[in-house]
Amino acid sequence: MIKACLRLLLLCTITLFSVNTLAADKPSFKICWSIYAGWMPWDYAQQSGIVKKWADKYGIDIQFVQVNDYIESVNQYTAGGFAGCTMTNMDALTIPATGGVDSTALIVGDYSNGNDGILLKGAGNLSALKGAGNLSALKGKPINLVELSVSHYLLARALEKSGMSEKDVKVVNTADADLVAAFGTADVNAIVTWNPLLAEAEKQPNSHLIFSSAQIPGEILDLLVVNSATLQKYPQLGKALTGAWYETLKTMSGPTDSAKAARTQMAQASGTDLAGFDQQLAATHLFSDAKTTLDFVQSPQLKATMQMVAEFSFKHGLLGEGAPSADVVGVATPAGNWGDAGNLKLRFTDEYTKMAAAGQL
């Protein structure tokens, strides 16, 4: 009897050791993210168990880690601290890709459709300029913004569409945390920023939105970027993340109580309420499902956009010291590549989104 008990205890110990060993050997991945309307679904997916469900399906472990400073999150990803990170298309090009880290835009989640804008103070209905492609009221004025950010890119595109250039204005570099307060002073008449700062600043007297990202649709993209070598070695990571993303979008969409509850949780996590969060989503063209994402990712527009982003980045010295031209970093898209084919460092893939659209995840 004693021998039988000892044998059973030994068997249980071996079994437990095997389970722990397997658990220790399970591939584990950390993804960093920061607060923004288009990225809040990832936090909800983590908190609600959707990420765990899909990770378990593919035998891996995925943890989303919030980093309060957005640029710092991208820098940490670039330094190898994370397997993936939420970031814009411009930052994906100018930070990890330019830094030599081969990265893949696994999920193109949305594009800014009014979440970024140019505000100008003044009496009268200056908002009549909006949509007219005429920003002449900015000529000769100082404009406060986060220099070399997507706000700077938005200003450059707005001026270009108005037949002007940055030479016609004076860019004043201002921290995003200071922009709203600065706009409330007599010395600052124009700013470029993003939500929720944009909505807050727009409430100030005589404030007029004269240009927004809705006038350059599909150019300011919000992505989930993963390390290309990691994705190649562990395709199950791409499958799990893609499956979790589209399940989350389905969960949060529409007027049902469950969808409102999901968005309310996202709103609270981002420091607002459901109404405020829905207002931000209204200015975010969130690709609602895999099919709509595919239509965008496979279009020639994506390649053209990345060329414009690369040319802006080169002009402002964001492609590395001594970069000889705008095409120094290669960008791959389903519709064709831009830049140096021998230095492809940013890849937009449709492989996993195709699986999602076909119900193959």
Side-chain angles (χ1 to χ4, degrees):
M1 182 66 180
I2 295 175
K3 288 183 178 180
C5 290
L6 288 174
R7 190 180 300 113
L8 180 60
L9 180 61
L10 179 61
L11 180 61
C12 290
T13 303
I14 292 172
T15 302
L16 181 61
F17 176 77
S18 299
V19 170
N20 287 338
T21 301
L22 288 173
D25 290 342
K26 179 190 284 189
S28 181
F29 308 94
K30 288 186 177 181
I31 312 290
C32 56
W33 70 282
S34 52
I35 290 178
Y36 176 71
W39 296 326
M40 295 313 299
W42 287 118
D43 180 55
Y44 175 81
Q46 172 84 32
Q47 301 301 328
S48 66
I50 293 176
V51 167
K52 185 179 186 306
K53 167 190 165 183
W54 283 91
D56 287 349
K57 178 177 180 177
Y58 289 102
I60 60 176
D61 180 74
I62 302 173
Q63 181 184 0
F64 276 80
V65 179
Q66 182 183 347
V67 178
N68 290 328
D69 185 318
Y70 164 64
I71 291 297
E72 179 59 23
S73 72
V74 182
N75 287 338
Q76 287 187 29
Y77 160 77
T78 303
F82 293 91
C85 184
T86 56
M87 64 186 78
T88 68
N89 54 324
M90 187 173 115
D91 293 324
L93 174 67
T94 61
I95 303 178
T98 294
V101 178
D102 194 321
S103 298
T104 297
L106 177 69
I107 300 290
V108 178
D110 67 84
Y111 63 75
S112 177
N113 197 34
N115 260 329
D116 301 78
I118 303 174
L119 293 176
L120 179 62
K121 282 191 301 194
N125 187 21
L126 286 175
S127 58
L129 290 174
K130 182 182 176 183
N134 178 9
L135 273 72
S136 57
L138 292 177
K139 194 161 189 176
K141 285 185 168 58
I143 302 174
N144 293 63
L145 52 75
V146 178
E147 196 171 13
L148 307 180
S149 68
V150 291
S151 292
H152 200 158
Y153 174 79
L154 179 72
L155 174 65
R157 290 286 288 123
L159 293 171
E160 179 185 321
K161 290 174 77 71
S162 301
M164 299 164 62
S165 73
E166 289 182 59
K167 294 178 181 178
D168 295 308
V169 299
K170 180 183 178 183
V171 170
V172 180
N173 188 28
T174 307
D176 55 345
D178 300 329
L179 274 168
V180 176
F183 195 53
T185 67
D187 294 335
V188 177
N189 291 305
I191 64 169
V192 189
T193 189
W194 52 79
N195 273 326
L197 302 177
L198 182 67
E200 189 177 347
E202 197 173 0
K203 294 175 184 176
Q204 297 188 20
N206 298 320
S207 171
H208 303 280
L209 180 69
I210 62 171
F211 192 91
S212 85
S213 53
Q215 290 159 261
I216 53 168
E219 294 190 29
I220 299 177
L221 304 173
D222 299 311
L223 316 170
L224 177 67
V225 170
V226 296
N227 181 279
S228 297
T230 301
L231 183 61
Q232 185 176 8
K233 184 177 180 180
Y234 299 101
Q236 59 266 47
L237 175 63
K239 293 177 181 179
L241 288 169
T242 303
W245 175 254
Y246 289 111
E247 179 176 338
T248 304
L249 290 190
K250 186 176 181 180
T251 301
M252 66 181 282
S253 299
T256 65
D257 289 344
S258 58
K260 288 180 181 178
R263 296 200 305 277
T264 297
Q265 184 172 327
M266 296 179 207
Q268 292 171 346
S270 61
T272 186
D273 56 16
L274 178 59
F277 187 67
D278 281 348
Q279 183 181 8
Q280 292 179 40
L281 285 181
T284 306
H285 185 93
L286 201 63
F287 294 111
S288 58
D289 54 39
K291 178 62 171 64
T292 56
T293 309
L294 273 181
D295 291 341
F296 179 81
V297 172
Q298 294 176 344
S299 73
Q301 179 188 356
L302 178 57
K303 177 185 173 183
T305 291
M306 291 312 299
Q307 179 176 343
M308 286 189 292
V309 169
E311 289 170 347
F312 169 86
S313 300
F314 173 68
K315 180 180 177 182
H316 291 83
L318 296 175
L319 296 183
E321 187 176 345
S325 62
D327 59 1
V328 64
V329 178
V331 179
T333 80
N337 299 346
W338 154 258
D340 186 351
N343 189 36
L344 283 174
K345 294 298 180 184
L346 179 58
R347 306 165 193 272
F348 288 83
T349 181
D350 60 1
E351 178 183 354
Y352 298 91
T353 307
K354 279 181 180 177
M355 294 180 191
Q360 296 174 346
L361 289 176

